[in-house]
Amino acid sequence: MDRARVAYLRALWQGLGGPEADVGPMARLLYLVLVGAQQVVPPVTAAELREVYDLALRLAPQEREDTE
């Protein structure tokens, strides 16, 4: 199950245009954040977890529009 989840996160990162060298590490980072968030006391709220994932998405490369 863990492999399937990490593979899904890899695909998401690639879909966002993330550098190929970062695909594996970013997928593991995002998954470890989720797993770790489940162990924290007091629990991480959905809003707090969303903030972390929003940060990761902001770090993803943005597609550039060709202006030529």
Side-chain angles (χ1 to χ4, degrees):
M1 184 52 84
D2 291 331
R3 277 186 236 153
R5 290 174 177 157
V6 172
Y8 174 71
L9 291 167
R10 288 174 62 92
L12 287 178
W13 184 254
Q14 287 172 317
L16 291 170
E20 193 63 32
D22 293 346
V23 171
M26 182 55 77
R28 285 189 296 278
L29 172 64
L30 295 174
Y31 188 60
L32 291 171
V33 167
L34 176 64
V35 171
Q38 295 171 350
Q39 305 304 315
V40 174
V41 176
V44 174
T45 66
E48 291 169 329
L49 191 56
R50 189 175 346 263
E51 270 185 316
V52 172
Y53 284 117
D54 285 344
L55 173 60
L57 290 176
R58 285 196 309 271
L59 296 174
Q62 301 297 313
E63 289 187 61
R64 294 184 325 191
E65 292 184 31
D66 290 331
T67 56
E68 296 177 21

